[in-house]
Amino acid sequence: MSRNIILVDPLPRTLDLIMTPDVRRRLAQLGEVVVREDRQMPAEQVEALLPDTVLIFGQTDMPKERLDRAPRLKAIINVESNFLPNIDYQACVERGIWVITPASAFASPVAEAALGMAIDLARGITKADRQSRAGAEEYGLAGNDETFRFSGAPVGLIGFGDLGRQLRDLIRPFRNTVRVFDPWLPAEIVERLDCTPASLDEVLCESRVVFVFAGVTSENEGFIGRREFAMMQPGSAFLLMSRAAVVDFPAMLDAVRSGHIRAATDVFPDEPVAPDDPVRKVEGLLLSAHRTGGTRDAFYALGSMAVADAELIMKGLPPQLCRRADPATANRLRSKPVSVS
Amino acid sequence: MSRNIILVDPLPRTLDLIMTPDVRRRLAQLGEVVVREDRQMPAEQVEALLPDTVLIFGQTDMPKERLDRAPRLKAIINVESNFLPNIDYQACVERGIWVITPASAFASPVAEAALGMAIDLARGITKADRQSRAGAEEYGLAGNDETFRFSGAPVGLIGFGDLGRQLRDLIRPFRNTVRVFDPWLPAEIVERLDCTPASLDEVLCESRVVFVFAGVTSENEGFIGRREFAMMQPGSAFLLMSRAAVVDFPAMLDAVRSGHIRAATDVFPDEPVAPDDPVRKVEGLLLSAHRTGGTRDAFYALGSMAVADAELIMKGLPPQLCRRADPATANRLRSKPVSVS
Amino acid sequence: MSRNIILVDPLPRTLDLIMTPDVRRRLAQLGEVVVREDRQMPAEQVEALLPDTVLIFGQTDMPKERLDRAPRLKAIINVESNFLPNIDYQACVERGIWVITPASAFASPVAEAALGMAIDLARGITKADRQSRAGAEEYGLAGNDETFRFSGAPVGLIGFGDLGRQLRDLIRPFRNTVRVFDPWLPAEIVERLDCTPASLDEVLCESRVVFVFAGVTSENEGFIGRREFAMMQPGSAFLLMSRAAVVDFPAMLDAVRSGHIRAATDVFPDEPVAPDDPVRKVEGLLLSAHRTGGTRDAFYALGSMAVADAELIMKGLPPQLCRRADPATANRLRSKPVSVS
Amino acid sequence: MSRNIILVDPLPRTLDLIMTPDVRRRLAQLGEVVVREDRQMPAEQVEALLPDTVLIFGQTDMPKERLDRAPRLKAIINVESNFLPNIDYQACVERGIWVITPASAFASPVAEAALGMAIDLARGITKADRQSRAGAEEYGLAGNDETFRFSGAPVGLIGFGDLGRQLRDLIRPFRNTVRVFDPWLPAEIVERLDCTPASLDEVLCESRVVFVFAGVTSENEGFIGRREFAMMQPGSAFLLMSRAAVVDFPAMLDAVRSGHIRAATDVFPDEPVAPDDPVRKVEGLLLSAHRTGGTRDAFYALGSMAVADAELIMKGLPPQLCRRADPATANRLRSKPVSVS
């Protein structure tokens, strides 16, 4: 009787990072787990396993020739969360091999932090703490001179995937008008969640708080630049939560330095940020070192979503939690792979 | 025909602070408005107006003798938001004179800031910003070493009046278990809002985030002290949003300094805080200079709620927005009057 | 040492009707319970108990003379749910005696049934069942000829007390625009619950579904009459859930008979309805025999709310669950006492 | 330059049934619309159009040979809402041809009616109307003898696709515990919507109201039979909203006739139901002639969802609103095609 190999090649993740013991046990019930975590699994080992491999967890190169040698393969589950161009997506589709990723695992912690940062910018929380530490605080109304209420403030979302929708749910009690710019979506999706579809310019002009959740594609690099920041309302807040490459970063810093807007960013063009990078000194900028998504629970969610979908796939059912790679769109994505977790 | 005097004696507020022009126009339609804002209205002027006064907006002393001389008085509307012992509450009740205050105007901005601060403490937002500024940031999972998710964390509320209930509504999307300690309320009120009635000890032991919204009474000064802080879970968050006097402040600072808990406070035993007060240097404490409630919109809400209820009262209807002074409980309250707005 | 008498004179209720054994035990802990349920408590017995009575549960006559003989009385808790003119409300207020009623116990079951009836009228549920039984059903789109979606239909509420607010909460997922007519309330109360304050005429003209939750006062008997029904949109739904006397009942029946509107009613000018009352034959009218409020859980809620507030009152705290009688408005109410439960 | 043909072969639907003029205009902007509605499009006409066809709206047979002759085809959009075995799904997948259907258009009206019917069964609305018409009504508590509150009643859902999830959202304000049986889904999906994953037996034993939303597959015909009905709580409610074939229909009727449960059904083994079918006389059964989904707005939603996704597909983007046919599962479905709309 043939073996069912589960090939686990998860770098830059490790199994301990993404799976609790309980989830690892569920994984083991699906087949014979072969893990390589010290480095990417060597070609030799991959080749030896392919004939009996039913599931791949990881970012292993899978060109057509390898797929040819893996006749029993049912799914490739990317646990890094960005689809890379090292898989023949079309060949997978033709053979009914699922290529999926539990990327939405990061949406919940990022959305939570984004709301915290938005309230911070609106109400001046970090700033007031800094002032109190410096002995320069002001009380009551005077202490609210440049603040605004997040409740009821017009909100704009740029990008309305998992992240944007999770944020939308978190802010429901604040009763904001929410405008959404997402050229990949029909108006219906936006309206069902009580938002208004809008152009990029409308989002920028009409909102007091703008959240950027858009991924990078071959078409949208730097699409928020000087012209766009100029369009924003004076004193409004801009939160960059997804990818640094979608904005003209120097233009954003200038808009903040000039006092035109305030901003928060969780991402930077180059990470780690250089020790002497002047971004570290910008007043009015709330700095976060690409850390809003990487919480322990999010890494565990990566693993539990991956295993839950693997269980369905092994029963012949479609996955329900992970995102599927559509060959047509996978090729448009331009995220850098992460090098640290 | 007799005049309907509306006696306005609003210090430390002013009419411009609490009423937009539109609301002021509505006030003027209720009678002849007599305002004294440069100082508290002098006794002479008060006495002269009493016979024709139908409404008082302010904190004027109203002992029985003055009530006797104000036969047409329908309501005393405190616009400072704390009931003071300068009114004969029982006599007012007997004569059907409403004594009310739009205190809940401050609940919405405080609750919003409290949520922002709670996410800040849980996710390390202010701290991470400080680290990035100091060149000491950490990325990804390493940057989340001492953080926890606010989503799903057990929450405890001490005090469940307007403030606690507003916060409860704001955090619904985060799906926390919420325990409530409020000895003035029946279990039903707590349960209707999907919270669990609990003792003070249970709230402290079982919660990861504790919000204090309790007012000060003659019975609860300093009721959260060393014993109570020791009971809290290591690494949990404590937010003091209502009155400094309900906690043993030095004990709170010690619990934070020792690293046992993290905390945020909007109130201090003495305000303004002395320039050299060591509180300014406590790591792990998020400082806010009694400024979470005093937003422009909150002051305007004071005025619009006061006028809306005055309109009802002048039609012979009960007020709907302001809180009524119950003689029995008014006497237990021990809030200091504010000296600045 | 003096006794603490709890005088229970609950007709037309009985203690078993309104209290589970558990709640009865809580009642017994408050004092010495003296119950008379076979008939209204005789004057002689009342008089004997008054000197030691601390709480009255029931509808006992309490003129000033009796209050004079009950120096320790803290509260009169009406368990029938309508304030009657047999109490000296002003004297109670002067003495700090709470007069309260757990009337809102009925709001939840009535609101639930009102939503069920509204969906029934909109979607033709009862009617389709009748057609299927008669062999006259139609399938698919043909079976929806005269139906409309409750989801998204403009809703109007006449009266926005406990009942209206509970319904408002129940229909949130349906995303209706909700207009509210309630002359006793300021706009703020209506707007906070995401409704629009409106005149009676606007509610009638603009809504597809109109719910009547208004109580009867000396001023509003029959205020919804021929003119008002004519104003409604053809094919719209009218639900009379509170008191028959607020509408011109024959005018309502004519509007239904003519096919102009469809309606549901839980109340009738005379109850029980006469066997030959033509109301029983009106097509397009959904009939309910004053039964939407009187569920077992609602009667038990009457008792548990009453006891929970009594517990607070005995501790010197204000009641939180029951409605207070305001002397000014108590006199405007004109509800008939119920004769059966 | 080549033409872009949009082949419309929509029977049993028609374009007027599913598209408002506005949506039709959007369709016309995507290409040259060729419609055949008097009968299924004849083979000759289909063959002539295939070389230039970019989109098919309808249920046209599309075996491999036809796909070979349609090199520019991007999508087949089923507007009837059930995938049929007349398409070579695997060939479509290999060529990147989307096969999709806006089936979820019917979920909203069905869920709304399901809630109305559930409240009807719980509170006895239709039954009380019948009793009032027959002069046999009872008032107040007596009129609630066999009723229960939908609020708070344990609810069970069998099937948790679009329909089950929409119902789940509609009932949130009622605060039910919701158990879900759906063997195609991982626990995470169920738990995210605040429900509890459960076995079929648990759902039946523990719920007071059971909704059936499951589709028919080759594996589940008649899976709710005598054993399952016997397991239900006496007096509980059973609502069959999806497909008659998933239950043993005679067993269901027996369970209702015996008084063990009450039920509502929108579907029947044979439709239209025969004039003398005894189902028409079952007391305790709420009858609906397969009419809860077929509202005018639902048909229009079919069309607007189809066109919105066609617009995305023509831009090279993935569809967002319609459900995709997965070859593996499409073959398991066993729905009868509808013959009337």
Side-chain angles (χ1 to χ4, degrees), chain C residues 241-261:
Chain C
M241 304 306 295
S242 53
R243 301 287 171 192
V246 300
V247 310
D248 174 343
F249 213 79
M252 180 181 84
L253 296 185
D254 286 349
V256 175
R257 274 195 202 100
S258 72
H260 176 51
I261 60 169

mmCIF file of all heavy atoms in Angstrom, chain C residues 241-261:
data_model
loop_
_atom_site.group_PDB
_atom_site.id
_atom_site.type_symbol
_atom_site.label_atom_id
_atom_site.label_comp_id
_atom_site.label_asym_id
_atom_site.label_seq_id
_atom_site.Cartn_x
_atom_site.Cartn_y
_atom_site.Cartn_z
ATOM 1 N N MET C 241 -50.138 47.315 17.744
ATOM 2 C CA MET C 241 -49.602 46.435 18.777
ATOM 3 C C MET C 241 -49.842 46.930 20.201
ATOM 4 O O MET C 241 -49.533 46.202 21.151
ATOM 5 C CB MET C 241 -48.087 46.266 18.576
ATOM 6 C CG MET C 241 -47.663 45.756 17.213
ATOM 7 S SD MET C 241 -48.458 44.198 16.665
ATOM 8 C CE MET C 241 -47.817 43.039 17.881
ATOM 9 N N SER C 242 -50.319 48.156 20.390
ATOM 10 C CA SER C 242 -50.370 48.691 21.754
ATOM 11 C C SER C 242 -51.795 48.775 22.302
ATOM 12 O O SER C 242 -52.198 47.962 23.139
ATOM 13 C CB SER C 242 -49.691 50.060 21.785
ATOM 14 O OG SER C 242 -50.227 50.917 20.797
ATOM 15 N N ARG C 243 -52.558 49.730 21.840
ATOM 16 C CA ARG C 243 -53.875 49.973 22.408
ATOM 17 C C ARG C 243 -54.848 50.290 21.277
ATOM 18 O O ARG C 243 -54.549 51.116 20.414
ATOM 19 C CB ARG C 243 -53.841 51.191 23.358
ATOM 20 C CG ARG C 243 -52.872 51.049 24.518
ATOM 21 C CD ARG C 243 -53.362 50.078 25.563
ATOM 22 N NE ARG C 243 -52.292 49.810 26.543
ATOM 23 C CZ ARG C 243 -52.347 48.831 27.445
ATOM 24 N NH1 ARG C 243 -53.398 48.037 27.507
ATOM 25 N NH2 ARG C 243 -51.351 48.646 28.264
ATOM 26 N N ALA C 244 -55.986 49.645 21.295
ATOM 27 C CA ALA C 244 -56.972 49.858 20.232
ATOM 28 C C ALA C 244 -57.438 51.304 20.180
ATOM 29 O O ALA C 244 -57.748 51.836 19.107
ATOM 30 C CB ALA C 244 -58.174 48.931 20.442
ATOM 31 N N ALA C 245 -57.477 51.962 21.342
ATOM 32 C CA ALA C 245 -58.078 53.296 21.394
ATOM 33 C C ALA C 245 -57.280 54.354 20.654
ATOM 34 O O ALA C 245 -57.793 55.445 20.395
ATOM 35 C CB ALA C 245 -58.280 53.724 22.852
ATOM 36 N N VAL C 246 -56.033 54.081 20.296
ATOM 37 C CA VAL C 246 -55.296 55.125 19.575
ATOM 38 C C VAL C 246 -55.717 55.220 18.111
ATOM 39 O O VAL C 246 -55.410 56.191 17.440
ATOM 40 C CB VAL C 246 -53.754 54.967 19.676
ATOM 41 C CG1 VAL C 246 -53.297 55.031 21.127
ATOM 42 C CG2 VAL C 246 -53.262 53.698 19.003
ATOM 43 N N VAL C 247 -56.391 54.196 17.595
ATOM 44 C CA VAL C 247 -56.879 54.295 16.216
ATOM 45 C C VAL C 247 -58.400 54.384 16.183
ATOM 46 O O VAL C 247 -59.091 54.002 17.115
ATOM 47 C CB VAL C 247 -56.438 53.103 15.326
ATOM 48 C CG1 VAL C 247 -54.937 52.852 15.428
ATOM 49 C CG2 VAL C 247 -57.222 51.856 15.648
ATOM 50 N N ASP C 248 -58.881 54.914 15.075
ATOM 51 C CA ASP C 248 -60.303 54.844 14.745
ATOM 52 C C ASP C 248 -60.470 53.450 14.136
ATOM 53 O O ASP C 248 -60.176 53.224 12.961
ATOM 54 C CB ASP C 248 -60.612 55.951 13.735
ATOM 55 C CG ASP C 248 -62.027 55.876 13.212
ATOM 56 O OD1 ASP C 248 -62.682 54.816 13.350
ATOM 57 O OD2 ASP C 248 -62.473 56.877 12.616
ATOM 58 N N PHE C 249 -60.915 52.509 14.951
ATOM 59 C CA PHE C 249 -60.894 51.100 14.549
ATOM 60 C C PHE C 249 -61.726 50.828 13.291
ATOM 61 O O PHE C 249 -61.245 50.169 12.356
ATOM 62 C CB PHE C 249 -61.353 50.232 15.731
ATOM 63 C CG PHE C 249 -60.701 48.882 15.791
ATOM 64 C CD1 PHE C 249 -59.414 48.719 16.295
ATOM 65 C CD2 PHE C 249 -61.365 47.744 15.318
ATOM 66 C CE1 PHE C 249 -58.802 47.467 16.339
ATOM 67 C CE2 PHE C 249 -60.767 46.486 15.357
ATOM 68 C CZ PHE C 249 -59.480 46.339 15.864
ATOM 69 N N PRO C 250 -62.949 51.356 13.220
ATOM 70 C CA PRO C 250 -63.722 51.116 11.983
ATOM 71 C C PRO C 250 -63.014 51.678 10.747
ATOM 72 O O PRO C 250 -63.045 51.055 9.684
ATOM 73 C CB PRO C 250 -65.044 51.837 12.260
ATOM 74 C CG PRO C 250 -65.158 51.890 13.748
ATOM 75 C CD PRO C 250 -63.759 52.026 14.259
ATOM 76 N N ALA C 251 -62.352 52.814 10.891
ATOM 77 C CA ALA C 251 -61.623 53.369 9.738
ATOM 78 C C ALA C 251 -60.500 52.437 9.318
ATOM 79 O O ALA C 251 -60.242 52.245 8.127
ATOM 80 C CB ALA C 251 -61.062 54.753 10.092
ATOM 81 N N MET C 252 -59.845 51.833 10.287
ATOM 82 C CA MET C 252 -58.777 50.884 9.960
ATOM 83 C C MET C 252 -59.356 49.699 9.192
ATOM 84 O O MET C 252 -58.812 49.284 8.158
ATOM 85 C CB MET C 252 -58.081 50.402 11.246
ATOM 86 C CG MET C 252 -56.956 49.417 10.980
ATOM 87 S SD MET C 252 -56.153 48.811 12.511
ATOM 88 C CE MET C 252 -57.268 47.477 12.982
ATOM 89 N N LEU C 253 -60.461 49.162 9.699
ATOM 90 C CA LEU C 253 -61.043 47.999 9.025
ATOM 91 C C LEU C 253 -61.476 48.345 7.602
ATOM 92 O O LEU C 253 -61.275 47.558 6.669
ATOM 93 C CB LEU C 253 -62.226 47.460 9.838
ATOM 94 C CG LEU C 253 -61.848 46.921 11.225
ATOM 95 C CD1 LEU C 253 -63.074 46.307 11.903
ATOM 96 C CD2 LEU C 253 -60.727 45.895 11.144
ATOM 97 N N ASP C 254 -62.015 49.536 7.417
ATOM 98 C CA ASP C 254 -62.409 49.942 6.059
ATOM 99 C C ASP C 254 -61.203 50.021 5.133
ATOM 100 O O ASP C 254 -61.272 49.597 3.972
ATOM 101 C CB ASP C 254 -63.111 51.312 6.085
ATOM 102 C CG ASP C 254 -64.524 51.202 6.660
ATOM 103 O OD1 ASP C 254 -65.005 50.050 6.834
ATOM 104 O OD2 ASP C 254 -65.132 52.253 6.933
ATOM 105 N N ALA C 255 -60.106 50.555 5.652
ATOM 106 C CA ALA C 255 -58.905 50.677 4.810
ATOM 107 C C ALA C 255 -58.387 49.301 4.407
ATOM 108 O O ALA C 255 -57.863 49.120 3.299
ATOM 109 C CB ALA C 255 -57.811 51.457 5.554
ATOM 110 N N VAL C 256 -58.560 48.332 5.280
ATOM 111 C CA VAL C 256 -58.129 46.963 4.947
ATOM 112 C C VAL C 256 -59.124 46.319 3.982
ATOM 113 O O VAL C 256 -58.743 45.734 2.967
ATOM 114 C CB VAL C 256 -57.982 46.109 6.222
ATOM 115 C CG1 VAL C 256 -57.652 44.659 5.875
ATOM 116 C CG2 VAL C 256 -56.918 46.699 7.135
ATOM 117 N N ARG C 257 -60.402 46.445 4.311
ATOM 118 C CA ARG C 257 -61.430 45.822 3.461
ATOM 119 C C ARG C 257 -61.361 46.302 2.023
ATOM 120 O O ARG C 257 -61.552 45.547 1.086
ATOM 121 C CB ARG C 257 -62.825 46.152 4.016
ATOM 122 C CG ARG C 257 -63.295 45.204 5.084
ATOM 123 C CD ARG C 257 -64.798 45.366 5.314
ATOM 124 N NE ARG C 257 -65.129 44.860 6.641
ATOM 125 C CZ ARG C 257 -65.318 45.623 7.723
ATOM 126 N NH1 ARG C 257 -65.207 46.958 7.629
ATOM 127 N NH2 ARG C 257 -65.615 45.073 8.873
ATOM 128 N N SER C 258 -61.064 47.573 1.854
ATOM 129 C CA SER C 258 -61.018 48.153 0.500
ATOM 130 C C SER C 258 -59.777 47.689 -0.254
ATOM 131 O O SER C 258 -59.632 47.967 -1.436
ATOM 132 C CB SER C 258 -60.971 49.673 0.609
ATOM 133 O OG SER C 258 -59.688 50.086 1.080
ATOM 134 N N GLY C 259 -58.882 46.999 0.433
ATOM 135 C CA GLY C 259 -57.653 46.560 -0.234
ATOM 136 C C GLY C 259 -56.571 47.631 -0.258
ATOM 137 O O GLY C 259 -55.487 47.408 -0.775
ATOM 138 N N HIS C 260 -56.847 48.787 0.330
ATOM 139 C CA HIS C 260 -55.849 49.863 0.325
ATOM 140 C C HIS C 260 -54.595 49.464 1.101
ATOM 141 O O HIS C 260 -53.476 49.672 0.651
ATOM 142 C CB HIS C 260 -56.476 51.132 0.908
ATOM 143 C CG HIS C 260 -55.516 52.280 1.034
ATOM 144 N ND1 HIS C 260 -54.738 52.707 -0.017
ATOM 145 C CD2 HIS C 260 -55.212 53.086 2.082
ATOM 146 C CE1 HIS C 260 -53.981 53.723 0.390
ATOM 147 N NE2 HIS C 260 -54.251 53.964 1.653
ATOM 148 N N ILE C 261 -54.786 48.905 2.267
ATOM 149 C CA ILE C 261 -53.642 48.445 3.083
ATOM 150 C C ILE C 261 -53.918 47.015 3.573
ATOM 151 O O ILE C 261 -55.022 46.502 3.424
ATOM 152 C CB ILE C 261 -53.399 49.354 4.316
ATOM 153 C CG1 ILE C 261 -54.629 49.374 5.242
ATOM 154 C CG2 ILE C 261 -53.025 50.764 3.886
ATOM 155 C CD1 ILE C 261 -54.387 50.027 6.591
#
